[in-house]
Amino acid sequence: MEVWTLSWPVMLSQLLITMVSLVDIGMVGRLGTDEQAAVGYATQFHFLTQSIYFAIGFACVARMSFAIGAREPTRAKKALCASVALALGSSLVFAGPIALFPETLLVGLGATPQVTQLCAPYLKLMMLSSLLLSVSLMIESGLRADRDTKTPMRIAVFVTGLKVALNFLLIFGMWGFPRLELYGAGLATLISQMLGLALFIGVVVRSPINGPIGIRAKDFRNMSSEFNKVARIAGPSVIERVGMNLAIFVFFIILASYGTVAIAAYTVGIRLLSFSWIPGIGYAQAVATLVGQALGRRDIEGARKAGWRAARLAILTALLMAALGALFSSPLAHLFSQDTEMIAILIPFMLAMCLTQPPLQLHFTLAGAHRGAGDTWTPLVTSLVGTWLLRVLLASIFAELGMPIMWIWAAMFSDHLVRAVWMTWAFSRGKWLRKAFAT
């Protein structure tokens, strides 16, 4: 099955990235709860910049896969160049201010002075690595649009392995290396991203010059015809990601009212449960390519079938992952923390997020189908409604009323449930087809 063939390397890449994220939390957790909370705060900013690159990456996939399906490799190359330029510009706009004013932003999110002091240097390194990541993700998106999901997977294996090794050396100062603690974790991320980008550039240089990936310097001068199209598709997605992350920042401030332990529990819990979201991410990437290429061939029925097949796979996989997450929630909580107060918050959070997996993965997948067709407005509207009118509004009401933290987790569930219902209805209507041929 094409969906699975394209999905599993993406899933493995995401699995490796998630495992490294857990290694970060596990290693930093040996330093203390304040350090874990500092990683949690920095992660919110990292997710903001990364999500913007993902938004542009989906626009890259939409334009490139459509051109590849239509057998127009030159147009695909222009779309890739435009995506790289747009991602680099976005990284300067979003990551730059975060790197310049980390203390101000952290205090604004409710971080304590101790956490702010620990987090600021680490956050600067994360934003610098984010600049490198912007280019890597565009090349990765281009490869996936060309149905090559194995090359990004191989690079992910190398980058994650290097990151873990550098973490071990630089956080704890092993084998004669300096003990840099949290700063060492950030430095490990930066070095591994540098080498990962070098590998992606090597892939581009070795690609045939007449193929969709073989871009050269002169191609950037000829990208103007695609730049506006990529930006027009990416625009709503960027607004979606910024709006969603701002909502999560507000949600984080609400959560901070429950104390640093709640922030640390949320940070660990999200990292642990992110394993179960990986299939939805993989299916979204795969179905975006399949829908885009099918529409490039004018195969409307093939595009519809690809979307529904991916949706069924997402739900079945989500049920399995949710069951496993619920079964192992307690052992995992005790593995990543010895703090009884934190464990008491972490286990109910993990169970609540297990219930969230089917709707979450379903709307992930169908949003990928819409984006592959160039329709980024529908995911934008559903995301803003879910995050702001449900997650943030309900959580703020519950916190103001002094309700237990379990109600905050319920607000997150309502967000994903409404988005899943909306995306299913929108895909069945088929309005996204008009978007595909309009771009």
Side-chain angles (χ1 to χ4, degrees):
M1 184 182 293
E2 285 184 311
V3 174
W4 177 250
T5 301
L6 293 177
S7 294
W8 76 260
V10 179
M11 293 180 195
L12 182 56
S13 298
Q14 289 295 320
L15 176 64
L16 292 170
I17 292 167
T18 303
M19 288 179 65
V20 169
S21 181
L22 280 177
V23 168
D24 261 356
I25 287 291
M27 289 185 173
V28 170
R30 305 303 173 190
L31 303 175
T33 301
D34 282 344
E35 284 81 359
Q36 278 186 324
V39 171
Y41 279 103
T43 298
Q44 300 311 305
F45 291 105
H46 182 62
F47 280 170
L48 169 62
T49 56
Q50 189 179 59
S51 66
I52 291 167
Y53 308 148
F54 280 136
I56 300 170
F58 268 110
C60 176
V61 169
R63 290 304 303 163
M64 287 191 67
S65 60
F66 193 93
I68 291 168
R71 296 185 179 180
E72 298 182 35
T74 300
R75 182 151 59 111
K77 286 168 66 175
K78 292 178 181 179
L80 179 54
C81 290
S83 301
V84 170
L86 188 59
L88 270 173
S90 299
S91 69
L92 295 175
V93 170
F94 290 97
I98 297 171
L100 291 173
F101 309 106
E103 293 87 355
T104 303
L105 293 169
L106 288 166
V107 171
L109 280 180
T112 65
Q114 296 90 335
V115 172
T116 299
Q117 185 178 9
L118 286 167
C119 186
Y122 173 73
L123 182 54
K124 289 180 180 179
L125 289 173
M126 294 299 290
M127 290 303 99
L128 186 55
S129 69
S130 175
L131 177 67
L132 307 175
L133 180 64
S134 67
V135 180
S136 294
L137 282 178
M138 294 311 106
I139 299 173
E140 182 176 336
S141 297
L143 289 166
R144 287 174 176 165
D146 198 30
R147 298 199 179 200
D148 180 4
T149 54
K150 291 183 180 178
T151 298
M153 176 192 69
R154 294 186 187 103
I155 294 175
V157 170
F158 171 79
V159 171
T160 53
L162 179 63
K163 163 66 174 168
V164 171
L166 290 174
N167 260 4
F168 181 72
L169 297 174
L170 298 176
I171 292 176
F172 304 111
M174 304 301 292
W175 298 343
F177 282 80
R179 181 184 173 92
L180 301 176
E181 299 190 346
L182 187 57
Y183 189 83
L187 194 58
T189 300
L190 178 60
I191 295 171
S192 59
Q193 286 294 346
M194 289 174 61
L195 294 176
L197 176 57
L199 290 174
F200 274 115
I201 292 174
V203 171
V204 170
V205 170
R206 291 194 303 271
S207 296
I209 197 167
N210 58 345
I213 306 299
I215 59 175
R216 301 295 185 265
K218 65 178 181 179
D219 294 311
F220 285 91
R221 295 192 293 270
N222 301 321
M223 69 180 183
S224 57
S225 61
E226 280 293 318
F227 187 87
N228 289 339
K229 293 176 181 178
V230 171
R232 188 163 60 248
I233 296 174
S237 286
V238 171
I239 296 171
E240 174 197 347
R241 300 303 175 114
V242 172
M244 183 178 67
N245 278 276
L246 289 175
I248 292 173
F249 284 150
V250 176
F251 180 81
F252 218 63
I253 293 170
I254 296 167
L255 189 59
S257 67
Y258 286 84
T260 299
V261 174
I263 292 290
Y266 174 83
T267 301
V268 173
I270 285 292
R271 298 292 180 93
L272 286 170
L273 287 168
S274 57
F275 283 102
S276 60
W277 306 337
I278 289 171
I281 295 171
Y283 296 140
Q285 294 276 359
V287 78
T289 298
L290 294 173
V291 167
Q293 290 195 4
L295 293 176
R297 299 189 302 270
R298 298 297 193 268
D299 181 7
I300 294 174
E301 188 58 29
R304 289 182 185 275
K305 287 181 178 178
W308 290 125
R309 281 197 301 267
R312 287 193 293 270
L313 276 173
I315 292 174
L316 290 173
T317 309
L319 291 172
L320 175 61
M321 299 301 290
L324 291 173
L327 182 63
F328 293 104
S329 59
S330 180
L332 287 171
H334 285 86
L335 177 64
F336 281 86
S337 179
Q338 289 78 45
D339 188 319
T340 55
E341 184 182 359
M342 178 173 163
I343 290 171
I345 296 174
L346 179 56
I347 292 176
F349 171 64
M350 292 176 67
L351 292 173
M353 290 303 96
C354 287
L355 292 175
T356 303
Q357 297 316 303
L360 183 148
Q361 292 199 44
L362 177 60
H363 77 71
F364 269 21
T365 302
L366 290 179
H370 278 264
R371 293 183 183 113
D375 174 19
T376 48
W377 281 103
T378 302
L380 165 64
V381 175
T382 57
S383 174
L384 293 180
V385 169
T387 53
W388 285 100
L389 295 186
L390 291 168
R391 182 186 300 208
V392 170
L393 182 60
L394 288 179
S396 64
I397 292 171
F398 295 152
E400 187 67 26
L401 294 174
M403 300 182 76
I405 198 169
M406 193 63 196
W407 287 91
I408 305 299
W409 312 147
M412 294 178 66
F413 175 80
S414 68
D415 166 17
H416 294 297
L417 180 62
V418 167
R419 280 200 264 175
V421 172
W422 195 329
M423 289 304 308
T424 303
W425 171 74
F427 190 77
S428 64
R429 284 183 68 199
K431 192 176 178 181
W432 47 276
L433 288 167
R434 294 203 294 271
K435 295 283 186 180
F437 299 113
T439 54

